[in-house]
Amino acid sequence: MTELKRLVIIEDEHWTRELVKQWVKEAKLQIEIVGEAENGEDGLRLIKELDPDIVITDMNMPLMDGAQMLHHLEQWEKPIQIMVLSGYDHFQYTRQAIRSGAAEYLLKPVDPLELKHALELCIQKIKQSQQQNPIAGTTVQLPGEAIFILAGCKRRLSVLFTENEFEPIKQELEACLGKLEAAFPQCTAEQWRRIYSELTLHLEVIIAADSVEETHEIKEILEQINRLSFEGHSEEAARAISGFYYKTLAILADRRKNRKKLNMAVIQEFILNHYAEPLTLELLANRFFVSREYLSKAYKQQYKENLMDYLLRLRMEKAWKLIEDSRLQIKTIAQAVGYKDVSYFHKVFKKYYDISPMSIRKP
């Protein structure tokens, strides 16, 4: 049985903690939430007491902020995967704090898919660290700006893979590496190794998240990456990692196109994991490489329900449960189930249940 990774959440906003906990559970990863705290002081105590594998922390907190807490953790003997949450307006403040080696940097408001990908990366890094993989480099510190640039690059690469955009992938990687080289000419070989490690692990996450099974060719690509030394940044290293991304996409695209039958259970699972995103029938059809008409007809034929009706039902059921079981603001719940406009959410909810959202909240 796979050992559960232990997670501690440190965040002073109750509703953010509740959303993160909900999304961690819905991600269905081998992760156990063992503790939560609302300031860095209690968070540091919990870390010492519970010995977690992963820590998700805000930066702007009372008593002891995230910067002070991470400074204390620099002396912590056991490696911890640290995931930093912050807003754009706090980045100048945050970048001085995450020099302690934050694994991931997520911007608020937190996106559930990005959170899941970041947690998958943390799990991958823990496994590689345990296997003493030479490419892992997880203990090497990167400047805060470097983590910020990498986070944006990985987000855009995920989109390009979903959309089968070949040439832009190479352009995005070249632009990312160029920005890093220009911003940090003093980067050491070890830091560049961690940068390439981040990109390699991200490629593995993309493959794991794709509904296409990992093939022999893809395994060989990942093995080739792990055999490379990446002693430092060079045009040859940049071409290598870019080429691996390109080849992986080509293999995935070929596998996707050669599917003979839609797996409706996979589509349902995808919607279940992404219902908080702005999903449309066209987006789903593109994601599974079929026409809108075919997807709609095939789904209704199997489940006797329109696909978009299933999405609506799922969102409404999730919203009802959050309203009934939590004290989160209706605006927060609306965003958590895919509605940025809270007024529109009220209309949809009332039309669906014939009752307003606040009417079901227990006093």
Side-chain angles (χ1 to χ4, degrees):
M1 184 175 178
T2 305
E3 182 182 355
L4 294 177
K5 303 297 181 270
R6 298 162 58 80
L7 168 67
V8 165
I9 302 170
I10 308 169
E11 163 65 63
D12 64 320
E13 295 176 335
H14 173 73
W15 61 270
T16 299
R17 289 203 310 275
E18 291 303 309
L19 281 179
V20 169
K21 283 158 56 179
Q22 180 76 16
W23 287 332
V24 168
K25 291 175 184 176
E26 289 179 0
K28 296 181 181 178
L29 301 172
Q30 296 296 317
I31 291 177
E32 176 187 12
I33 301 172
V34 295
E36 58 182 288
E38 59 184 24
N39 60 70
E41 190 173 279
D42 289 342
L44 187 62
R45 177 182 55 78
L46 273 183
I47 290 170
K48 293 179 178 179
E49 178 183 323
L50 300 175
D51 193 23
D53 303 289
I54 305 170
V55 171
I56 298 177
T57 181
D58 188 17
M59 296 307 296
N60 190 16
M61 298 182 292
L63 296 183
M64 178 189 289
D65 63 25
Q68 295 169 310
M69 188 193 74
L70 290 180
H71 178 69
H72 284 286
L73 287 180
E74 288 179 13
Q75 309 303 319
W76 193 245
E77 293 184 1
K78 180 184 174 182
I80 302 176
Q81 296 299 313
I82 299 170
M83 193 182 303
V84 171
L85 307 180
S86 188
Y88 276 112
D89 54 340
H90 291 138
F91 180 65
Q92 294 299 319
Y93 162 77
T94 302
R95 64 180 182 175
Q96 299 301 321
I98 58 180
R99 71 185 191 279
S100 57
E104 287 296 316
Y105 179 92
L106 297 182
L107 294 173
K108 289 183 175 181
V110 180
D111 178 86
L113 182 58
E114 289 181 7
L115 176 66
K116 181 179 180 180
H117 282 182
L119 288 170
E120 287 171 332
L121 279 172
C122 287
I123 292 172
Q124 288 279 6
K125 290 175 185 178
I126 292 169
K127 289 179 180 177
Q128 287 196 333
S129 177
Q130 291 170 344
Q131 295 168 358
Q132 296 183 326
N133 190 326
I135 194 173
T138 56
T139 59
V140 178
Q141 298 175 4
L142 288 178
E145 296 95 329
I147 293 177
F148 189 73
I149 291 171
L150 277 170
C153 174
K154 289 185 284 188
R155 182 184 304 181
R156 290 185 291 273
L157 285 169
S158 295
V159 172
L160 293 172
F161 260 78
T162 299
E163 298 177 350
N164 272 8
E165 295 288 347
F166 282 77
E167 192 59 32
I169 280 182
K170 292 196 288 187
Q171 295 171 357
E172 176 60 40
L173 282 164
E174 288 170 3
C176 174
L177 295 171
K179 284 180 187 176
L180 289 168
E181 186 177 28
F184 315 108
Q186 74 283 7
C187 262
T188 65
E190 289 299 318
Q191 287 175 316
W192 275 110
R193 187 177 292 120
R194 177 177 171 182
I195 288 169
Y196 286 115
S197 171
E198 295 283 340
L199 292 171
T200 302
L201 290 169
H202 181 250
L203 186 58
E204 294 189 53
V205 168
I206 288 175
I207 295 165
D210 197 282
S211 55
V212 177
E213 292 184 4
E214 185 175 306
T215 64
H216 172 75
E217 299 99 314
I218 291 175
K219 288 179 180 178
E220 178 59 28
I221 286 173
L222 294 175
E223 288 173 3
Q224 287 178 46
I225 296 176
N226 287 331
R227 286 197 293 268
L228 296 176
S229 61
F230 288 131
E231 289 301 329
H233 182 53
S234 66
E235 289 186 8
E236 182 181 354
R239 281 198 304 271
I241 197 75
S242 178
F244 286 129
Y245 266 79
Y246 190 93
K247 285 192 289 186
T248 304
L249 176 57
I251 294 168
L252 290 179
D254 183 61
R255 296 291 184 224
R256 291 163 175 168
K257 288 175 182 177
N258 287 333
R259 286 182 184 158
K260 296 200 182 204
K261 186 177 179 182
L262 275 177
N263 187 333
M264 291 302 165
V266 170
I267 294 173
Q268 275 201 331
E269 183 72 15
F270 181 85
I271 294 173
L272 184 62
N273 291 329
H274 300 268
Y275 65 86
E277 299 171 34
L279 296 181
T280 65
L281 184 60
E282 184 172 3
L283 186 149
L284 289 167
N286 290 338
R287 173 67 176 77
F288 292 96
F289 308 97
V290 294
S291 69
R292 293 172 51 188
E293 294 74 17
Y294 178 77
L295 175 59
S296 180
K297 182 179 179 181
Y299 188 91
K300 188 170 184 178
Q301 185 175 8
Q302 180 161 337
Y303 292 112
K304 313 304 179 188
E305 179 182 32
N306 288 329
L307 189 149
M308 298 311 290
D309 287 344
Y310 165 67
L311 174 61
L312 174 63
R313 176 167 60 83
L314 181 63
R315 285 172 167 171
M316 291 299 99
E317 289 173 354
K318 296 285 185 182
W320 183 291
K321 184 168 176 39
L322 283 171
I323 294 168
E324 199 173 41
D325 297 346
S326 76
R327 305 309 299 175
L328 294 175
Q329 294 181 353
I330 298 300
K331 180 181 179 181
T332 302
I333 292 172
Q335 293 174 342
V337 297
Y339 295 93
K340 292 185 178 180
D341 185 338
V342 66
S343 298
Y344 181 65
F345 168 74
H346 272 273
K347 290 179 183 178
V348 174
F349 191 93
K350 195 169 191 310
K351 183 179 179 181
Y352 191 86
Y353 285 117
D354 198 26
I355 190 173
S356 68
M358 285 305 297
S359 299
I360 66 170
R361 174 148 278 172
K362 297 175 183 177

